[in-house]
Amino acid sequence: MKLRSLALAALIFAASFAAPVAVSPVQASADSTCYPNWKIRQTDLNGCSSTALLSPGNDTRVNLLMLLHDRHGSVGVSNVPDYDSYYNERRRSDAAPFNFAYFAGKLGPARKEVDDSGDFPWGTRCMSNASGSAAFIAAVGAAKGLNGTERAALAAARSAMSPQCSSDETARAVAEVAVQNVTSKTGKAFANYLIGAAAFYDGDMAGAGAAFSAIGKTGDSWLDGAATYMVARAALNQATDSAFGEYGDLNKEGGDRALLSAAENGFRAYLKANPNGEYATSARGLLRRVYWLGQDRQKLLNQYVAQFAEKDAGKRNLSLADMVQELDIKLFGDLGPNDSSDPELLAVILLREMRYYDDPSLDESNPPVSRSSIEALRGLYAGKEDLFNYLLAAHAYYVEKKSAEVLKLIPATAGGSGYLAYSRQLLRAVALDEAGDAGARAALITALNAGKLPFQRGTAELGLAMHLERAKALDLVYAAGSPIHDAEIRQILLRYSAGPALLRTRAADKATAANERNVALYTLLYKQLTRGDYAGFVKDSALVPANAKRIAADDYETPRYSEVAVFNWAGSRDFACPAISTTASALAANPKDPRGLLCLGEFVRLHGMDPYFYGVTEYLDNPRDVDELGGHPTPFGGKRFSRLDAYKAIIANPAAGPENRAYALHRAIRCYAPSGMNGCDDSEQSMAQRKAWFQQLKRDFPTSPWSKKLTVYW
């Protein structure tokens, strides 16, 4: 649970007379550089691989937000920044696994950038100045015991207050001068409040607390309540002085206990007298800060549970989306199954406790929770049996891998609206699939059509696509009327799992989307050319339009594995090569043709198609896990082309000719330039071998331009 501590510490000081309390812009469970895993069975955390299926591998915030959405029907505005926003904005896929910020943004309205006043961004105590000024002036106007001159003086003094919350502020001194002619008992009480507010904005919390406390009981409901609230506010801000370390991290011992106790008592006194008061929502939010700084886990947890249960959104100082984020930052990582009796929160904890690594080479020092441990909590789910049975079913599916048990726990009639109901329906469908039940496909399609909330249909499309891939029925993904509409799913299967016939059909189908056609054609031609099907390449390259355009170097919107124009390559001049179609024709006639192999190598080298080159090969050659979409590839015949293998064959062939052999030596040596690591394939040639090639080039072909150009080896 990491904190962006400096930002968070700054927020602690934010004054909020009536404004909501800000949350720290942190994604505690997500990773801004991660890539999604396209699979249903997620058993370990990848922060950007959540799905609309309640699961152990989901970000805990996603699971909790789904259940809260079921409870309340909405989650409100999310102010959680999406550090992966560039990636998320580019994609249009409802099926792609997602991160929490993206999900929260889809469930709620657009993110707010400033506070309600419009004056200040989140993060300083001055952000509430406008709303505080309006409330004060309205109270002065309604107060009894003030004459017109005093009302005008107090209102003018408050209107003139324009704090910037910088260290050299002197608002208090200005305020004291401005109200020195206010002499009535009520007027002095309001003047003290104004002086306290000025001291608060100055950062003088002790002075502010003293001024607010000096007001006493006045009989004015606004003034008495606001003063009580602000005494607590000032104490809370004072407590932060000892709560944070040099770098903004929360100290082990937390904040000053006496000050925190005073703040708690003040906020509770305000809430008791004003349960629906102007600052009641803010006071509840600030109580959470008191308990966080005081490290009172149980009281803090109780506050979150109460806020999650609150039906009136106006009584929450944060949206549910932001509340989930705050819980994750401040407390969730420390919670275990014995810490909460709230069914939804406990369910999220139990799903997290089901996590484990599927890879035995990784540390599994914390085994997943046992079924018996979950069964022991059954009594907490009275009236929520569907949720409890889902937890048992999730354990059976993800941990025990007993599909038959899932089918016993979730009836065939499972359905309904909401994320829990959808999860029950889809989990049963994927369990049928893993059990080899003939009704699995129909169940997956039914779940797909039932998905109405964000990402539900897409997650079901992912499940159905994986089913069809395993069943070797990829043609049905692309058949007319196919329910799988998601472009990313369709393209992943083309890149990894489709065979030549299907790729050829998709590439030639003018009725399909142009990008899908290009992905199919690129994949077909790339794999033919790099797997030795040269005759097939010559035939199918006729599908490449003569006017196909190259992708601009700065075009990050279009993937390179759809750039079919590369196959119109006209050849090279530095080392003379013809068009790639001519090279392929020569290799079709003689797969060992030296010039053909060298020119194929030039095509591969110049277009970044070497193995392990980040780009095209990353998406077309690197195998995917068997439990992931695209993890069941249809093999193309032949070994993948290696430039270094081609060079070595030509070096060893005296009949290849001096020019070809000299260039092969030159290029074999340069496979290791400039890092000393092989960029041509995954083999390793010793330094002695590279030295021998260099000496052979200099000895046998001294007049070759390739010998003259090469002055070192790596």
Side-chain angles (χ1 to χ4, degrees):
M1 306 290 284
K2 297 180 180 178
L3 302 176
R4 249 176 234 277
S5 305
L6 292 176
L8 190 58
L11 291 174
I12 292 294
F13 289 92
S16 178
F17 287 80
V21 181
V23 306
S24 174
V26 179
Q27 280 188 281
S29 298
D31 181 348
S32 62
T33 60
C34 81
Y35 297 90
N37 296 322
W38 287 74
K39 60 183 181 180
I40 296 294
R41 187 187 288 279
Q42 300 271 8
T43 60
D44 62 304
L45 176 65
N46 173 337
C48 64
S49 290
S50 294
T51 68
L53 181 68
L54 289 161
S55 76
N58 276 4
D59 188 318
T60 53
R61 296 170 297 175
V62 169
N63 283 337
L64 181 54
L65 201 59
M66 286 197 284
L67 291 174
L68 290 175
H69 186 276
D70 283 359
R71 183 189 285 189
H72 296 288
S74 63
V75 297
V77 174
S78 170
N79 284 287
V80 181
D82 186 355
Y83 296 114
D84 218 8
S85 59
Y86 176 72
Y87 167 72
N88 287 326
E89 288 169 3
R90 286 176 57 213
R91 71 184 187 179
R92 297 292 181 267
S93 174
D94 191 49
F98 48 83
N99 63 19
F100 170 71
Y102 191 58
F103 179 63
K106 287 291 185 182
L107 283 188
R111 180 183 171 198
K112 293 192 297 183
E113 299 293 343
V114 297
D115 77 310
D116 292 335
S117 72
D119 289 345
F120 298 95
W122 294 111
T124 77
R125 60 184 178 272
C126 286
M127 70 184 201
S128 62
N129 178 58
S131 58
S133 177
F136 180 87
I137 292 171
V140 166
K144 297 178 181 179
L146 295 175
N147 60 44
T149 301
E150 288 180 326
R151 292 184 202 278
L154 289 166
R158 185 62 184 87
S159 296
M161 192 184 297
S162 182
Q164 300 301 315
C165 289
S166 59
S167 59
D168 58 352
E169 285 286 318
T170 57
R172 177 169 182 162
V174 175
E176 287 174 339
V177 171
V179 298
Q180 61 184 349
N181 293 323
V182 176
T183 58
S184 69
K185 181 178 180 180
T186 301
K188 286 183 177 180
F190 274 100
N192 276 336
Y193 186 93
L194 187 62
I195 291 168
F200 185 89
Y201 289 130
D202 284 348
D204 176 12
M205 297 303 157
F212 291 129
S213 296
I215 294 171
K217 293 296 181 182
T218 67
D220 184 282
S221 59
W222 182 88
L223 186 57
D224 288 349
T228 300
Y229 168 80
M230 287 306 298
V231 167
R233 225 26 238 273
L236 175 57
N237 276 269
Q238 271 187 283
T240 61
D241 290 342
S242 62
F244 294 94
E246 179 182 358
Y247 300 105
D249 52 315
L250 185 63
N251 292 332
K252 183 178 180 181
E253 57 274 9
D256 182 283
R257 300 293 168 171
L259 289 168
L260 290 173
S261 179
E264 179 184 10
N265 292 336
F267 290 132
R268 288 200 173 279
Y270 176 83
L271 289 169
K272 182 178 180 179
N274 306 275
N276 298 307
E278 188 172 358
Y279 309 120
T281 298
S282 178
R284 293 187 187 97
L286 292 171
L287 273 173
R288 297 198 305 277
R289 292 196 182 190
V290 169
Y291 300 142
W292 176 54
L293 291 177
Q295 301 184 20
D296 192 330
R297 294 174 64 252
Q298 192 56 55
K299 285 185 177 180
L300 180 56
L301 178 59
N302 291 343
Q303 287 294 314
Y304 286 117
V305 170
Q307 289 284 279
F308 291 147
E310 177 60 63
K311 295 180 180 180
D312 185 353
K315 293 183 178 180
R316 305 187 207 111
N317 77 308
L318 293 178
S319 69
L320 288 172
D322 288 347
M323 194 81 68
V324 167
Q325 170 76 347
E326 185 186 283
L327 169 67
D328 189 67
I329 293 169
K330 294 184 176 178
L331 186 61
F332 193 85
D334 296 326
L335 296 180
N338 297 323
D339 289 317
S340 178
S341 58
D342 178 72
E344 280 83 1
L345 184 56
L346 179 56
V348 176
I349 294 171
L350 290 171
L351 285 169
R352 183 196 65 191
E353 296 301 301
M354 294 181 201
R355 288 178 185 164
Y356 64 94
Y357 291 111
D358 235 352
D359 185 344
S361 67
L362 298 174
D363 179 26
E364 292 193 61
S365 56
N366 295 314
V369 65
S370 67
R371 174 167 177 151
S372 61
S373 296
I374 300 174
E375 287 280 10
L377 301 169
R378 183 183 290 272
L380 298 176
Y381 284 87
K384 293 184 179 288
E385 286 78 11
D386 281 356
L387 178 55
F388 183 72
N389 286 334
Y390 180 80
L391 292 173
L392 293 177
H395 189 274
Y397 179 77
Y398 290 102
V399 180
E400 299 176 306
K401 298 185 178 179
K402 295 180 178 178
S403 299
E405 185 65 19
V406 176
L407 304 179
K408 292 178 184 177
L409 290 161
I410 302 177
T413 55
S417 60
Y419 282 101
L420 173 60
Y422 165 81
S423 295
R424 283 162 48 82
Q425 185 175 5
L426 184 56
L427 187 64
R428 178 180 172 82
V430 296
L432 285 169
D433 187 23
E434 292 206 2
D437 192 287
R441 188 174 302 173
L444 286 164
I445 293 173
T446 299
L448 185 154
N449 291 327
K452 306 300 181 186
L453 293 173
F455 300 105
Q456 287 184 339
R457 178 188 172 93
T459 300
E461 281 195 36
L462 175 58
L464 178 59
M466 294 181 70
H467 160 79
L468 294 173
E469 181 186 14
R470 287 192 297 266
K472 302 187 185 304
L474 281 188
D475 286 356
L476 296 180
V477 173
Y478 307 95
S482 167
I484 299 179
H485 304 152
D486 188 83
E488 287 201 56
I489 285 179
R490 294 166 70 96
Q491 290 180 27
I492 287 172
L493 291 174
L494 290 174
R495 297 196 321 255
Y496 291 101
S497 301
L502 178 58
L503 290 171
R504 190 175 296 113
T505 299
R506 302 312 303 154
D509 186 356
K510 300 298 184 183
T512 197
N515 199 52
E516 184 174 304
R517 290 202 312 271
N518 288 341
V519 169
L521 182 55
Y522 190 106
T523 302
L524 174 64
L525 297 177
Y526 172 85
K527 290 188 176 180
Q528 286 173 327
L529 198 57
T530 58
R531 270 75 176 174
D533 182 11
Y534 304 120
F537 175 87
V538 172
K539 178 181 178 181
D540 292 325
S541 60
L543 293 170
V544 180
N547 62 348
K549 295 181 180 179
R550 295 295 307 272
I551 296 174
D554 60 351
D555 181 4
Y556 297 105
E557 299 293 322
T558 307
R560 294 283 164 181
Y561 50 78
S562 65
E563 190 182 23
V564 296
V566 300
F567 297 107
N568 284 335
W569 188 58
S572 59
R573 295 180 180 178
D574 193 18
F575 180 78
C577 286
I580 189 60
S581 57
T582 303
T583 292
S585 294
L587 289 169
N590 176 13
K592 295 183 179 181
D593 177 66
R595 197 71 170 192
L597 289 173
L598 287 173
C599 288
L600 175 56
E602 287 301 278
F603 177 80
V604 166
R605 179 179 71 85
L606 293 172
H607 293 97
M609 295 179 182
D610 283 312
Y612 306 107
F613 182 88
Y614 183 81
V616 170
T617 58
E618 179 78 12
Y619 296 101
L620 295 179
D621 288 328
N622 286 4
R624 292 164 78 86
D625 293 337
V626 70
D627 63 345
E628 193 172 7
L629 186 71
H632 293 261
T634 300
F636 276 68
K639 179 185 176 184
R640 196 217 185 272
F641 175 76
S642 157
R643 286 199 289 128
L644 186 54
D645 281 351
Y647 301 147
K648 287 160 65 178
I650 295 167
I651 292 168
N653 180 11
E659 182 184 14
N660 291 334
R661 295 182 72 202
Y663 191 67
L665 283 163
H666 173 86
R667 277 289 152 211
I669 296 165
R670 289 196 64 84
C671 282
Y672 286 83
S675 66
M677 299 175 64
N678 187 0
C680 292
D681 62 25
D682 60 351
S683 68
E684 182 59 39
Q685 306 297 316
S686 68
M687 181 69 77
Q689 177 61 77
R690 287 175 257 162
K691 179 180 179 180
W693 285 336
F694 182 79
Q695 291 173 334
Q696 183 180 358
L697 177 62
K698 295 296 184 179
R699 181 187 64 246
D700 294 351
F701 308 103
T703 61
S704 167
W706 312 115
S707 177
K708 294 177 181 178
K709 284 186 177 182
L710 204 60
T711 59
V712 297
Y713 63 90
W714 293 266

